[in-house]
Amino acid sequence: MVVLETRHSQLEKYVGKKVSVKELEEVLFNLGFELERVEGDELRIEITAERPDLLSTQGLARALRSYFGLKVKPYKIEKSGKKVIVKNPAKEWPLAVAAIVKGLKLDEKKIKEIIRIQEKLGETFLRQRKKGGLGLYPLERITFPVMFTAEDPKGIVFRPLEYGDEINGLEVLERHPTGKKYRHILEAKGRCWERFPVFRGADNVVLSMPPIINAHDVGKVDANTREVFVECTGIDLKTITLALEILVGALIDMGGKAYSIEVGYNKKNVTSPDFKEEQRKIKIEYINKILGSDFKAKDVKRLLQKMGYAVKSLKKKEIVVVVPGTRYDIWHDVDIVDDVARAYGFNNFEPRIKPVFTEGETTRSVKVKEELSGIMIGLGYQEVFTLVLSSRQDQFENMNVKQVPHLNLGRSVEQSVNMPRVWLLPELMKCLKNNRSVEYPQKIFEINQVIVPDETKDVKCKDVLKLCVVLCHSGANFTEMKQVLEYVMRCLDLKCSLKESEHGSFISGRVARVTVNNKDVAEVGEVHPKVLSNFGLEMPVVVLELDLSELFGL
Amino acid sequence: MDIKELVKRLHPLERKILPFLKDCDTLPELVKNSELQEAQVMKGLQFLEEKEALKIKVKESKKIVLADKAVKYKELPERRVINTLSDGGRTLREVKEKTGLSDTEVNACVGLLRRKNAIEVARDKELTIKLTNAGKTLVDKRTPEEELFSRLIKEKMAVDALDEGERLGFEELRKRGLVDVFSEKEISITLTSLGERLTKEKVDVDVIEVLTPEMMKSGAWEKKSFRAYEVKARVPEIYGGKIHPLQDTMNQIRGIFLEMGFKEMEGPLVETAFWCMDAMWIPQNHPARDVQDTFYLPYMGTIPESLTKKVREVHERGGDSGSRGYGYKWDEKIARQLLLRTHTTSTTFRYFGEKKIKPPAKYFYIGRIFRNEAIDATHLPEFHQSEGFIMDKGLTLKDLMGYIREFYQRMGVDKIKFKPTYNPYTEPSMECIGYNKQLGKWVELINSGVFRPEALEPYGINVPVIAWGLGVERLAMMLHQQKDIRNMLGAAGDLSWFRKSKVIKKW
């Protein structure tokens, strides 16, 4: 979800009619967006990620105009005749598109809106500028043909926007706030790129160092600016073209007239933006088949026009529509079907059920868990539910055992976890630790998965279902847990045998391995006082951990 | 309460002391007369006080007794010295012989009597002691401390009860360490009007308190009546073992899916990016694949060769699905990256691609998923998702709405609204909001959609597949009225909350 911050008064201005908050809320809901907050004239609207064209007041206003049945002027663009030459760009940042917009009457509100659109697109659609960066400049200081190239950063010397001195490219990354924020884009494997992207005018003056920052003298737009040069640079042509079109589209709606620029690459020229519209033919039957509806061709025409499509031709069984150039999300006919449904209003469809006759069934693992839970609850044990994610500290060190083969996490935001657990007991020890003020005895159990390495699987590990039973009170002893083990075994009609074993988490001489049908399936023992200390416990603890996957071949 | 009813409920201890309350109003008296131990009498009195039959007054007073070292004296040692000197002066040696006191005792008495100016000590050839005029008066008269001492031999005395003269004596004896002072509680009882009436009632002492196997054998119970209980009295709470609230909610969801004829799936917690993302047409540059949100593991897995080609084609150019595709170069290495699955949909796609299920089919899963987030009251790095899908010809968006409405109804929610939304692998997609009567507001619980042709293409599925999913913890927290997710999942869960938690009525 992306948030569009706009003003109610501004939105109404561009829509061209009054829209009450209630009406706006309803329309946005039907379109699949949300009016998140209203504070006086300020609105916060949540837009879904596939509609970057709605990240400007002007773009959203267009969509609302269509929805209300008001005419929407298609974007018009002429050739400017000006050129941008792409010469030897950085391989990491090779593409540029640009446009010119004239006849603007800018004021503080409009300038704020332009900056807001630029920033919003940069942060969201352009993925914090990693995919591209937008730049806007007063046209008067620009001499054509503009050159887009890449140079040794030490040689890129200019006064960045809102900065006192002339500094070079490297210094921008070190000293300018925007440079510091986005420096990682120009870095790979901890080092800066050899050459940084740079825009220079024909007079060789530095216009900007994309996607970081404009030059102050040529790159600052104010209320006197009538004509602007807009560019977008980055790594994917479709993406940067769309970003440019969204911004230019907003400028057009602000009263400007747009002109495309010919961008000359080594092997070809690209004239952009062109607000290219795609024509798509779609069968009415196809729409009804997916929605379960009963629309006629003229219904579909009306509904798609509501969503901003122009209708090229209409036949009884099919319709040819023109998809607006700024629609990023039309990959397949189903995307148009979705628009038909939104225009109609999802809540206007009458839900129905086509019977599908299948039988329900659950899995062996679920049945094993249910049965064993029942047995443990019958013994008065409280079920707990802990995290699969644990730490090497808790899984091994605090349990006084050496590390066994296990998976490790990559980067984790939550500092207290760094591996998926290989056994349940440490998390249950943490349960005891977190509940020291609760009355004893404390009898808890859990039946859940742990993850152990397994090279034979496509995911290099397997999930193992285990039962862990923990008894904590002032007289807790081995006998009590052996009784639990034997009771569980009798319930399952299984015979188990115990053998003395050694285990760092348990008191020597008070721990045993449990075997069933020649399979090693469990450990039972009294927890070692060192381990109790590590978990801040003073009450003795006795434990059973049983491998259900091994026992039942799950 | 009627007094006869009150009498029925009297505890055996109350019954034993009641007869004596008319005439005794102190604890020692009651102990003596009832022949019970002090603790038992106190218990009986407390029961009666709870019934408002009497009031127990506790008075604390300070009492004086002889110290241990004083107990051996029949009289204070200085008396013996005075007696010895009564008929004239004597040497120290003679005093020692005649009194039979130890050296320390004699010296102490000499020092004491000198302070009182009762004796004179002269140094001739030997130390001689003789009574002064003041001392002579003491021959026939006892000192205040001697008076007090003689009384203390017989009984302990209250500090408050001492008169001025006795006080002087007390101070002296205290200075000499011959007395101890301790606090004593005096218990006195005053009957209330109810208590007065009770004492007049005929109270049967021979009632059955506990029915024993011996009574059953002997038949002794037949001739007696049972002491009645105060059924309104508070009893300590007990608790038993219980299912975990989260598990309870999962079982509830499972029940609904099973009732509706769904088969349960299972799949691995660790996944390849292939099954988790690529298989369902999530592009490799999608924000959801960011390191920020996903737990990547530093290992590579293997992906099915048979599907790789088809998945690559549908990503790059739309394959045969009728899509224009994403137009980027699909990288197999990215797909082989291992991660902790971010949704249960990875398992759904394994069922499409590995188990190759055919329509008609209804499957569901309730499984754990992972998001790379920090722990706080509403976020955990792992939680549970439940999803179900239906694969059959002729399924439409209306059927998706219908099945979801059915599902919600079985959860007890009958007012629902649908809102369009966006998922990379379904189109159309919907958020389904239900009205929670308890909270009195609309809550978004279910996300759903019709799988995109691009997502189904690699598996040769050419009938519609509709699906929906919900976050289990969110639902569980709503049902169990728990605001902190850390109490719903994780070792921080409050054991006392589990013990007190209420059953969700599914009837």
Side-chain angles (χ1 to χ4, degrees):
Chain A
M1 279 296 199
V2 183
V3 172
L4 168 69
E5 283 153 341
T6 182
R7 291 181 156 271
H8 195 175
S9 53
Q10 286 292 293
L11 197 57
E12 282 180 331
K13 172 179 161 202
Y14 285 101
V15 171
K17 79 177 193 89
K18 282 224 168 294
V19 185
S20 71
V21 166
K22 195 156 181 281
E23 215 185 333
L24 187 60
E25 201 169 20
E26 206 183 300
V27 173
L28 288 172
F29 182 92
N30 288 335
L31 286 176
F33 315 121
E34 193 178 330
L35 178 58
E36 198 200 277
R37 199 160 63 208
V38 180
E39 259 170 43
D41 193 35
E42 284 171 19
L43 306 173
R44 277 176 69 93
I45 299 174
E46 274 188 14
I47 305 284
T48 44
E50 87 287 14
R51 294 300 303 269
D53 59 306
L54 300 179
L55 293 180
S56 64
T57 308
Q58 293 76 16
L60 180 60
R62 277 189 171 242
L64 294 175
R65 276 185 71 88
S66 297
Y67 194 86
F68 292 136
L70 301 170
K71 255 182 89 162
V72 174
K73 268 208 292 241
Y75 293 122
K76 264 214 310 257
I77 193 155
E78 284 173 24
K79 287 207 170 102
S80 67
K82 301 282 191 239
K83 276 190 160 73
V84 167
I85 300 175
V86 178
K87 190 165 145 202
N88 211 11
K91 62 181 186 321
E92 304 96 332
W93 204 261
L95 303 169
V97 287
I100 287 172
V101 183
K102 296 184 177 179
L104 289 167
K105 285 200 199 68
L106 296 179
D107 57 28
E108 210 171 299
K109 270 208 193 95
K110 288 205 178 94
I111 293 176
K112 257 198 173 145
E113 174 74 15
I114 292 169
I115 294 174
R116 221 183 349 216
I117 298 171
Q118 228 182 316
E119 274 173 10
K120 187 60 63 173
L121 286 174
E123 282 308 301
T124 60
F125 183 60
L126 296 172
R127 308 278 292 282
Q128 293 94 43
R129 300 196 196 179
K130 281 187 279 213
K131 284 176 86 169
L134 282 161
L136 191 84
Y137 319 71
L139 187 62
E140 60 193 16
R141 314 245 183 80
I142 312 238
T143 50
F144 288 91
V146 165
M147 190 164 68
F148 176 60
T149 181
E151 298 169 10
D152 180 338
K154 291 203 279 288
I156 304 175
V157 179
F158 67 111
R159 181 185 169 204
L161 203 60
E162 310 301 355
Y163 198 76
D165 311 310
E166 276 199 352
I167 46 177
N168 69 43
L170 287 176
E171 289 165 333
V172 169
L173 296 190
E174 267 150 45
R175 297 193 212 159
H176 195 286
T178 314
K180 286 194 269 197
K181 185 173 175 192
Y182 292 106
R183 66 173 296 150
H184 57 275
I185 300 171
L186 301 183
E187 282 171 355
K189 299 194 170 109
R191 286 171 53 200
C192 290
W193 298 349
E194 256 182 50
R195 300 180 304 130
F196 287 4
V198 62
F199 265 111
R200 283 186 190 273
D203 54 4
N204 215 33
V205 168
V206 172
L207 303 177
S208 68
M209 195 172 82
I212 308 291
I213 190 86
N214 282 7
H216 187 89
D217 306 315
V218 296
K220 194 161 176 200
V221 168
D222 61 34
N224 294 321
T225 310
R226 291 268 170 282
E227 303 178 338
V228 295
F229 171 71
V230 196
E231 48 81 0
C232 191
T233 59
I235 57 178
D236 174 65
L237 193 61
K238 276 212 195 80
T239 306
I240 61 176
T241 304
L242 181 56
L244 183 67
E245 283 178 357
I246 293 170
L247 181 53
V248 169
L251 292 172
I252 291 173
D253 286 344
M254 282 183 200
K257 197 157 144 57
Y259 299 88
S260 64
I261 284 183
E262 196 184 306
V263 180
Y265 295 90
N266 199 8
K267 299 224 169 92
K268 59 175 193 257
N269 291 339
V270 174
T271 302
S272 67
D274 53 11
F275 291 99
K276 190 170 65 172
E277 293 173 328
E278 190 196 354
Q279 276 185 22
R280 292 188 80 107
K281 189 190 327 195
I282 184 164
K283 283 200 162 61
I284 307 297
E285 188 197 350
Y286 183 74
I287 297 171
N288 288 326
K289 184 169 146 198
I290 293 180
L291 300 179
S293 54
D294 186 15
F295 295 127
K296 305 281 182 288
K298 62 178 177 15
D299 300 319
V300 172
K301 173 179 172 185
R302 178 180 47 89
L303 293 171
L304 285 176
Q305 281 173 333
K306 221 171 142 179
M307 294 303 284
Y309 293 79
V311 174
K312 192 91 201 297
S313 75
L314 186 67
K315 288 204 194 106
K316 190 167 165 210
K317 292 197 174 156
E318 65 184 30
I319 183 171
V320 177
V321 290
V322 182
V323 181
T326 48
R327 283 299 293 268
Y328 157 75
D329 61 320
I330 311 297
W331 294 281
H332 188 287
D333 286 346
V334 290
D335 296 297
I336 297 182
V337 175
D338 176 58
D339 276 329
V340 171
R342 291 190 196 213
Y344 183 67
F346 276 34
N347 288 296
N348 289 325
F349 288 106
E350 184 57 45
R352 69 160 204 211
I353 290 190
K354 171 186 186 278
V356 178
F357 296 108
T358 57
E359 284 164 358
E361 189 186 356
T362 187
T363 66
R364 289 183 73 220
S365 297
V366 167
K367 290 178 191 166
V368 164
K369 181 169 175 174
E370 264 179 26
E371 203 64 60
L372 271 123
S373 292
I375 293 173
M376 292 314 304
I377 288 170
L379 287 175
Y381 279 75
Q382 169 64 49
E383 184 176 24
V384 297
F385 214 125
T386 60
L387 297 186
V388 161
L389 291 177
S390 184
S391 65
R392 292 180 286 273
Q393 181 83 31
D394 283 328
Q395 289 278 303
F396 307 120
E397 275 174 60
N398 287 343
M399 297 305 295
N400 196 37
V401 290
K402 284 206 188 63
Q403 289 193 10
V404 299
H406 62 277
L407 299 185
N408 285 307
L409 294 182
R411 184 180 155 271
S412 170
V413 173
E414 174 56 46
Q415 294 297 307
S416 65
V417 301
N418 52 43
M419 62 170 275
R421 64 188 174 193
V422 291
W423 56 328
L424 293 176
L425 180 56
E427 289 301 306
L428 272 82
M429 293 300 293
K430 278 158 75 173
C431 286
L432 297 179
K433 175 177 173 181
N434 290 322
N435 283 289
R436 278 169 297 180
S437 60
V438 174
E439 199 186 324
Y440 291 94
Q442 291 182 2
K443 301 158 66 166
I444 59 176
F445 80 97
E446 179 161 4
I447 302 173
N448 261 321
Q449 293 147 317
V450 305
I451 304 180
V452 301
D454 182 344
E455 281 297 315
T456 67
K457 301 265 186 293
D458 63 342
V459 291
K460 305 293 180 238
C461 61
K462 64 177 177 189
D463 300 334
V464 173
L465 188 68
K466 302 191 93 184
L467 159 68
C468 186
V469 183
V470 169
L471 174 59
C472 180
H473 70 100
S474 66
N477 64 70
F478 187 89
T479 300
E480 290 177 303
M481 198 46 77
K482 184 172 172 181
Q483 287 173 312
V484 169
L485 166 68
E486 291 190 337
Y487 173 70
V488 170
M489 288 293 148
R490 285 196 301 274
C491 289
L492 297 171
D493 196 21
L494 292 170
K495 280 207 166 45
C496 66
S497 60
L498 274 69
K499 195 169 122 179
E500 299 93 359
S501 65
E502 285 295 325
H503 191 301
S505 308
F506 300 104
I507 298 171
S508 188
R510 299 190 181 192
V511 53
R513 288 241 92 221
V514 182
T515 321
V516 174
N517 293 336
N518 288 324
K519 283 188 281 199
D520 235 355
V521 293
E523 215 108 41
V524 59
E526 293 182 9
V527 176
H528 198 286
K530 231 198 275 185
V531 174
L532 293 180
S533 275
N534 290 339
F535 287 93
L537 295 168
E538 286 173 351
M539 246 351 147
V541 174
V542 68
V543 163
L544 163 68
E545 182 149 340
L546 172 61
D547 185 334
L548 295 170
S549 293
E550 180 69 20
L551 186 61
F552 295 114
L554 297 174
Chain B
M1 190 188 289
D2 174 51
I3 199 144
K4 297 270 186 266
E5 291 298 308
L6 192 62
V7 168
K8 273 203 213 146
R9 282 167 181 72
L10 290 177
H11 190 277
L13 290 176
E14 289 174 300
R15 289 169 193 260
K16 282 225 170 80
I17 61 177
L18 198 58
F20 304 108
L21 287 177
K22 266 193 300 237
D23 306 312
C24 309
D25 63 352
T26 67
L27 183 61
E29 286 177 308
L30 283 171
V31 172
K32 185 159 156 236
N33 287 311
S34 66
E35 293 176 5
L36 291 172
Q37 291 180 356
E38 190 176 293
Q40 292 175 309
V41 174
M42 272 315 295
K43 208 165 173 196
L45 288 172
Q46 273 158 357
F47 288 157
L48 284 166
E49 192 180 42
E50 273 165 31
K51 292 186 173 63
E52 297 182 1
L54 52 82
K55 275 203 179 20
I56 302 173
K57 255 204 302 248
V58 182
K59 205 172 78 164
E60 254 194 47
S61 64
K62 287 202 166 34
K63 294 278 162 70
I64 315 167
V65 280
L66 292 181
D68 287 342
K69 73 178 188 189
V71 169
K72 64 181 186 217
Y73 296 121
K74 289 205 201 67
E75 53 182 5
L76 288 176
E78 59 268 30
R79 175 53 49 188
R80 288 198 225 168
V81 175
I82 292 169
N83 289 343
T84 316
L85 297 173
S86 58
D87 52 356
R90 296 211 186 266
T91 66
L92 190 59
R93 195 177 31 86
E94 284 173 326
V95 169
K96 278 195 190 139
E97 272 173 27
K98 288 248 153 145
T99 60
L101 295 168
S102 72
D103 282 351
T104 339
E105 286 169 318
V106 168
N107 291 338
C109 290
V110 166
L112 198 149
L113 290 170
R114 269 177 103 175
R115 262 187 283 126
K116 284 180 186 288
N117 287 321
I119 55 170
E120 279 172 347
V121 179
R123 281 179 188 275
D124 297 327
K125 284 186 228 101
E126 287 184 62
L127 238 56
T128 47
I129 312 164
K130 71 172 197 212
L131 290 171
T132 61
N133 285 334
K136 287 191 182 125
T137 62
L138 289 181
V139 174
D140 296 318
K141 191 163 156 263
R142 289 208 266 192
T143 61
E145 53 267 38
E146 285 183 298
E147 286 290 347
L148 195 61
F149 188 79
S150 63
R151 287 185 61 188
L152 284 173
I153 289 176
K154 288 193 227 120
E155 59 184 4
K156 55 184 181 230
M157 297 176 67
V159 171
D160 294 336
L162 297 177
D163 64 35
E164 220 183 289
E166 290 166 325
R167 254 196 194 276
L168 287 169
F170 169 56
E171 291 305 323
E172 264 299 316
L173 289 176
R174 191 153 64 168
K175 255 191 279 183
R176 289 164 66 178
L178 293 174
V179 290
D180 285 330
V181 179
F182 68 97
S183 281
E184 195 180 61
K185 281 192 195 157
E186 263 173 27
I187 304 223
S188 65
I189 298 115
T190 11
L191 287 171
T192 60
S193 57
L194 174 64
E196 298 275 349
R197 284 161 53 209
L198 258 182
T199 54
K200 297 194 179 87
E201 289 291 316
K202 182 171 184 308
V203 175
D204 187 1
V205 194
D206 195 20
V207 293
I208 302 179
E209 183 64 17
V210 179
L211 181 62
T212 61
E214 287 71 32
M215 278 184 211
M216 290 304 299
K217 284 201 190 83
S218 68
W221 59 270
E222 287 182 37
K223 302 218 165 47
K224 300 192 198 174
S225 61
F226 284 84
R227 195 264 289 191
Y229 284 152
E230 182 53 67
V231 298
K232 290 200 180 66
R234 279 196 74 233
V235 295
E237 277 180 8
I238 60 165
Y239 49 86
K242 273 210 219 87
I243 194 171
H244 190 279
L246 187 62
Q247 188 63 52
D248 178 52
T249 300
M250 289 202 256
N251 292 352
Q252 199 180 346
I253 296 171
R254 175 173 292 117
I256 294 172
F257 273 118
L258 289 175
E259 277 174 14
M260 290 172 71
F262 284 69
K263 289 185 173 42
E264 189 156 4
M265 301 185 276
E266 56 185 4
L269 295 169
V270 171
E271 269 294 4
T272 52
F274 181 85
W275 285 117
C276 198
M277 322 269 200
D278 297 279
M280 63 191 80
W281 210 59
I282 297 178
Q284 291 184 330
N285 54 21
H286 195 275
R289 298 177 82 139
D290 267 352
V291 175
Q292 269 91 290
D293 300 315
T294 305
F295 278 111
Y296 282 100
L297 304 180
Y299 319 102
M300 299 290 253
T302 55
I303 62 181
E305 255 185 70
S306 56
L307 289 172
T308 305
K309 182 158 173 272
K310 286 214 153 119
V311 167
R312 178 194 305 276
E313 278 171 11
V314 82
H315 273 247
E316 291 184 350
R317 269 171 298 275
D320 292 325
S321 68
S323 168
R324 72 160 187 245
Y326 289 124
Y328 73 100
K329 201 152 162 27
W330 189 78
D331 186 349
E332 188 179 314
K333 256 188 90 192
I334 292 177
R336 282 174 42 224
Q337 187 74 47
L338 288 184
L339 45 79
L340 290 172
R341 71 183 179 201
T342 55
H343 49 197
T344 46
T345 318
S346 51
T347 298
T348 293
F349 275 78
R350 275 189 187 261
Y351 272 64
F352 292 163
E354 289 181 324
K355 298 214 195 301
K356 299 190 182 13
I357 47 169
K358 299 266 174 287
K362 306 211 295 276
Y363 280 82
F364 80 101
Y365 189 19
I366 307 173
R368 205 180 297 232
I369 64 172
F370 302 84
R371 295 273 161 92
N372 202 340
E373 279 174 345
I375 296 177
D376 66 33
T378 51
H379 298 93
L380 287 173
E382 51 187 274
F383 50 100
H384 293 79
Q385 199 173 53
S386 166
E387 75 178 60
F389 72 81
I390 309 176
M391 180 195 287
D392 198 16
K393 59 187 194 304
L395 288 174
T396 67
L397 184 69
K398 284 186 179 177
D399 298 297
L400 179 58
M401 292 175 171
Y403 273 101
I404 288 173
R405 187 170 62 173
E406 178 71 31
F407 185 85
Y408 257 122
Q409 273 172 353
R410 285 170 195 256
M411 269 186 1
V413 178
D414 15 54
K415 252 168 68 174
I416 57 172
K417 276 198 294 207
F418 296 103
K419 178 175 175 226
T421 190
Y422 167 68
N423 288 326
Y425 43 87
T426 55
E427 185 87 353
S429 314
M430 302 191 289
E431 268 174 22
C432 314
I433 309 172
Y435 188 74
N436 181 312
K437 282 186 280 230
Q438 242 177 349
L439 296 179
K441 62 178 188 181
W442 290 90
V443 204
E444 184 230 311
L445 280 179
I446 292 182
N447 195 302
S448 67
V450 182
F451 278 118
R452 293 189 69 105
E454 298 94 331
L456 300 177
E457 225 276 297
Y459 320 105
I461 298 171
N462 47 23
V463 298
V465 183
I466 57 177
W468 68 93
L470 61 113
V472 180
E473 275 74 2
R474 205 136 172 248
L475 177 62
M477 283 165 73
M478 246 175 55
L479 292 172
H480 294 272
Q481 294 178 32
Q482 173 58 250
K483 287 199 173 67
D484 194 327
I485 200 174
R486 292 167 296 197
N487 266 330
M488 195 51 79
L489 177 61
D494 183 356
L495 200 52
S496 60
W497 179 66
F498 295 149
R499 288 175 180 173
K500 289 194 174 68
S501 71
K502 302 192 192 341
V503 165
I504 306 298
K505 295 188 194 57
K506 298 154 190 94
W507 56 91

